[in-house]
Amino acid sequence: MAIPTFVDQATLHLAAGRGGNGVASVKREKFKPLGGPDGGNGGQGGSIILQVDTSVTTLVDYHHSPKRRAENGGQGAGDHKNGGNGKDLVLTVPDGTLVKDADGHVLADLVGHGTTLVVAQGGRGGLGNAALASSKRKAPGFALLGEPGDELVVRLELKVVADIGLVGFPSAGKSSLIAAISRARPKIADYPFTTLIPNLGVVTAGETTFVVADVPGLIEGAAEGRGLGHDFLRHIERCSALVHVIDTASIEPGRNPLDDLDVIEGELARYGGLEDRPRLVALNKVDVPDGQDIADMVVEELRGRGLRVFEVSAASGAGLRELTFAMAEIVEASREAAPAAEAERIVLRPRPVDGGDDFTVVATDEGWRVRGTKPERWVRQTDFSNEEAVGFLADRLNRLGVELKLAKMGAQEGDAVLIGPDDNSVVFDFKPSIEAGAEMLGRRGEDERFREDRPARDRRRDIAEAMETKSEEEARADVARRLDEERRTKGPNRSSGSSGVGPMAYEIGSKDDPDWDGSDD
């Protein structure tokens, strides 16, 4: 199987590095029993960057190795040690590379040496428990997970950056012309379609240096896919001018310079986008007697169309100096009119699905779907094996207003709530009775709000129900003592979770105090 040396299209499967996880750690040192949280943050995942390098002329490396992955970020450690950042993966591409997504939408046009594109952003590192500590949550027993990096498929298309583009039928002498006016040495032979890839040559005319490229294989119907021209027409889109190379010594029956010009112009018109390019005409092979005669017959008619015509011979060098200086004149005028090109750094920032950092709630057949940049990022960062981490997520979602929005839209307790992409959502049961905001004291890594056995809560609810039927002489404390006496008489109340052995011990003014007038949780 032949191995291509020139590749101008490639599809890449990219995966940026995942962010490192944060760590939940507590300072442990002799004679310092209350050292506090000291878990470090995870490192950032490595990004994938496309960078223009003018020494690279083909995409052949990505044709053979289309899958590329950046380095993951390191995990944090105790003693406030942060994980190392993953190394960015830099992929060099030729000047003039067009980057498209899997659907064909243009992401960036990379022109100019050193221009870079952050095509896949590395994931953020998770925060350690030291960074999560606050006045209410002094010793978090959890840390945040690192976020996955971007994964996407991109298509690279090379459009050669040249100042002058040579167009014409096969064997018109385009490769010979480039070899005659530059040091390029393309393959030249006396059969059609000798040239299979665009050839570039650097030409100097006076004080102007410019690049000339030819488009191989243009024939009638090339814009619709005939021949090879449809594969390479894109390479002349960046050219300042086009030069029609016309064979005046063709031995094919029915061919003449005027018809050849009309056919090629018709293909350029069907391809589109090249109408504003200046045209030059090079009547090639005038060193052949019949070629000179045919050139003399058509030169005036071509000039009558408003075209600048040059009678040249790539073999003898006749007329080449005049042609190259005419090219240089057009290139110089184009460069003066164009703004100065500077290398730039482009970062892809995908638009959020909801258009901002807030969120949306939509009722679906599967349940209530919550979409938004923040909720989806917080879910990715949560360690669902840790109750306290899940409680922290509930706090964040509640502060954002997700629970209130669900309630206003008619969500009932037990309804499914989905957060995340359609193909990989995290499903919750809606439970508005779980209050969020204040820290719930308990063992590290646990959250009492997620436990069904909560005697204090159940006792307060029983007292609230009994208050509706109390006598005028009874206070809240009297109702509580009456309920405690009933429990001692009847035994344990399994529905309430009370032990039935007497009133529960409580601190005056706390939530367990029967006289506490706070809201039910």
Side-chain angles (χ1 to χ4, degrees), residues 196-375:
L196 299 178
I197 63 173
N199 293 309
L200 297 178
V202 179
V203 181
T204 300
E207 297 182 355
T208 304
T209 300
F210 54 95
V211 178
V212 178
D214 75 324
V215 179
L218 270 182
I219 61 174
E220 187 173 5
E224 286 76 36
R226 292 187 61 198
L228 301 176
H230 70 290
D231 290 330
F232 302 113
L233 274 169
R234 75 171 85 77
H235 292 298
I236 59 175
E237 290 184 13
R238 305 183 191 276
C239 296
S240 303
L242 302 179
V243 176
H244 284 279
V245 181
I246 298 177
D247 185 359
T248 60
S250 175
I251 60 175
E252 295 183 28
R255 289 270 304 276
N256 66 76
L258 297 178
D259 290 344
D260 287 358
L261 177 64
D262 292 339
V263 169
I264 298 302
E265 278 291 346
E267 296 307 314
L268 296 177
R270 276 188 283 275
Y271 183 76
L274 302 171
E275 295 80 8
D276 60 336
R277 305 296 195 279
R279 262 70 161 171
L280 301 177
V281 176
L283 298 175
N284 194 23
K285 302 183 182 179
V286 296
D287 56 307
V288 180
D290 290 343
Q292 183 63 64
D293 293 341
I294 294 177
D296 293 340
M297 295 171 57
V298 300
V299 63
E300 292 303 326
E301 184 171 348
L302 291 173
R303 287 172 179 165
R305 297 184 182 184
L307 298 171
R308 297 180 64 182
V309 184
F310 300 87
E311 301 178 29
V312 302
S313 170
S316 66
L320 296 184
R321 177 179 174 82
E322 292 80 2
L323 177 61
T324 55
F325 272 83
M327 294 179 184
E329 180 183 338
I330 296 175
V331 170
E332 194 64 32
S334 176
R335 290 175 179 174
E336 291 178 358
E342 297 182 0
E344 58 178 328
R345 179 181 175 88
I346 307 168
V347 181
L348 291 184
R349 302 191 186 280
R351 182 179 299 173
V353 293
D354 59 346
D357 280 339
D358 293 331
F359 65 93
T360 60
V361 179
V362 179
T364 66
D365 295 337
E366 300 173 321
W368 300 93
R369 182 170 292 279
V370 179
R371 301 298 301 271
T373 304
K374 288 183 178 179

